[in-house]
Amino acid sequence: MWTREKCRLVPPSYASGARTNGTAPGRLEGRSGIPPAAAAAAAMCGSAAQALKSVSRAAFSWKPTGLPQQTLAAAVSRSGVGLHSGEKTTATLLPARAGEGRYFVVEGEETRVAAEVANAESRSPLCTTLRRGGARVRTVEHLLSAMEALGVDNCRVEVSGGDEIPLLDGSAQEWVTAIRGAGLCAAKDSGGQKLEKLAPEIHKPVYLQKSDCFIAALPSSRIRITYGIDFPKVPAIGCQRFATVLDANVYSSKIAPARTFCIFEEVEKLRSAGLIKGGSLENATVCSMSGGWLNPPLRFEDEPCRHKSLDLIGDFSLLAQNGNQGFPVAHVVAYKAGHALHTDFLRHLLGRRAVGQENLAEQC
């Protein structure tokens, strides 16, 4: 059993003795550990590199993977209720050309909404929302998580019946089943050529923190995730830590089945705010502060923490551009983070101004 002190994660920059920028507690802090003027050229190659936007910073660069970009071998769709809207929607996943990346087309809208952090809304409680112009698509994180982990680099997602991706059982397990059923193949561009897949690689420690919530990315030869959560008022959840290397098989067996969760005493407040209209005991695990889990059994003892890792993968996939990998080759350490802090970390990594600071302390 983890004690609260054992569960608490320390920002790696603090552990190494680095100084903070003197910001008062509760303010957003960021560090790359290097002078701003020290910029590194991106490691790029081929047509995909030419299409890639200039986002290289000294903390990371893009490196060839030696693998071709992939897409689906066939179309596949799933229908279900949207978590927040309560509407029945359908998401249809279609093959896309190399270099197109992952993007959404919402019924009634002509605008493509690329799955990139530039389109992520900063004020999107309890889900990740993408918007471009008047087109909006909500609760994209579970689907993007599965596509990123399984290597669906290019995909057109058509959404009908509303503007929200169906929640299904609250996990990414059904998306994994759908993707594996459709199969993958090498994607080709409009000229019939394959493009090499690039991956972002972290070279220097980077972190972003608000109060005791933080995310850090450390250099690593493999993708690793360490996630910690702490719910002191909900003993059945309490403080948890989940750590793993990440590949398609690990994701499918140890992360994808983890369902979203909520606190029973907060349900009415959230519904009054127009949220979780589609939430139920069939698509979420619900825990009471005093009574424990209302719909056991859990799929994992630490299912809430694993689901936060699932969300992290989906949100970090938004670093992807033009059919390249989104999740960086790094050891990503997160503690009490949420969708807003996930996407603000990506903005920080790209050297963009962090926004939506008032939302960074969300836990679920």
Side-chain angles (χ1 to χ4, degrees):
M1 184 72 179
W2 283 87
T3 65
R4 185 142 290 107
E5 188 60 31
K6 286 182 179 179
C7 179
R8 189 171 300 280
L9 301 173
V10 179
S13 51
Y14 290 173
S16 63
R19 296 181 181 179
T20 67
N21 58 8
T23 333
R27 294 280 299 280
L28 188 66
E29 302 176 37
R31 270 286 192 262
S32 63
I34 52 172
M44 298 182 178
C45 66
S47 301
Q50 295 299 320
L52 191 65
K53 295 178 182 177
S54 179
V55 296
S56 175
R57 292 296 182 270
F60 86 105
S61 65
W62 296 87
K63 72 169 188 176
T65 64
L67 303 171
Q69 292 185 13
Q70 297 186 117
T71 189
L72 293 171
V76 65
S77 66
R78 289 292 185 271
S79 300
V81 174
L83 171 61
H84 296 301
S85 66
E87 299 172 341
K88 184 176 181 179
T89 63
T90 298
T92 301
L93 283 54
L94 299 157
R97 290 174 177 168
E100 288 188 320
R102 297 180 284 252
Y103 63 92
F104 297 86
V105 179
V106 179
E107 186 177 34
E109 299 285 349
E110 296 182 0
T111 304
R112 289 184 177 187
V113 184
E116 299 178 6
V117 69
N119 293 328
E121 288 192 343
S122 58
R123 298 185 181 186
S124 178
L126 303 183
C127 73
T128 298
T129 297
L130 303 176
R131 182 189 294 272
R132 185 167 177 247
R136 179 184 76 165
V137 59
R138 294 187 287 171
T139 320
V140 299
E141 57 270 21
H142 299 172
L143 172 56
L144 288 177
S145 181
M147 289 199 288
E148 175 71 19
L150 271 59
V152 184
D153 308 309
N154 300 280
C155 185
R156 175 186 174 98
V157 182
E158 296 182 352
V159 185
S160 60
D163 66 357
E164 191 170 15
I165 301 300
L167 184 61
L168 305 179
D169 73 344
S171 74
Q173 187 167 241
E174 197 165 337
W175 291 121
V176 169
T177 300
I179 290 168
R180 288 190 161 166
L184 299 178
C185 64
K188 296 180 179 180
D189 64 14
S190 56
Q193 299 298 310
K194 298 178 183 179
L195 300 182
E196 184 173 20
K197 181 175 177 177
L198 306 178
E201 182 178 40
I202 296 293
H203 302 305
K204 297 178 181 289
V206 184
Y207 76 86
L208 192 63
Q209 177 177 14
K210 181 181 184 290
S211 187
D212 62 343
C213 308
F214 75 86
I215 298 176
L218 310 172
S220 173
S221 60
R222 301 182 65 183
I223 297 177
R224 297 178 179 274
I225 296 173
T226 300
Y227 213 115
I229 61 174
D230 189 10
F231 287 79
K233 295 182 180 179
V234 191
I237 299 177
C239 112
Q240 300 178 4
R241 185 181 75 104
F242 175 69
T244 186
V245 296
L246 181 63
D247 61 31
N249 290 330
V250 168
Y251 179 85
S252 300
S253 62
K254 297 184 178 181
I255 298 175
R259 297 161 293 177
T260 192
F261 65 100
C262 69
I263 311 306
F264 174 74
E265 287 78 5
E266 298 176 355
V267 168
E268 288 308 316
K269 179 181 177 181
L270 293 173
R271 286 187 170 161
S272 297
L275 301 172
I276 66 168
K277 294 179 181 178
S280 71
L281 295 177
E282 282 69 51
N283 56 30
T285 54
V286 183
C287 193
S288 169
M289 294 181 183
S290 58
W293 293 103
L294 303 188
N295 54 342
L298 296 181
R299 292 175 177 174
F300 307 97
E301 185 179 3
D302 55 356
E303 187 171 356
C305 198
R306 292 183 189 229
H307 185 80
K308 298 296 285 185
S309 300
L310 184 159
D311 284 343
L312 175 76
I313 295 164
D315 291 340
F316 268 37
S317 76
L318 297 176
L319 188 61
Q321 294 179 30
N322 309 110
N324 292 299
Q325 182 171 309
F327 205 97
V329 180
H331 183 181
V332 177
V333 183
Y335 179 65
K336 294 174 63 175
H339 297 299
L341 189 54
H342 293 166
T343 53
D344 266 328
F345 180 85
L346 299 184
R347 295 186 184 97
H348 175 61
L349 186 62
L350 295 172
R352 300 172 186 172
R353 182 175 178 270
V355 293
Q357 297 180 15
E358 66 277 13
N359 294 324
L360 295 181
E362 62 171 300
Q363 281 211 57
C364 58

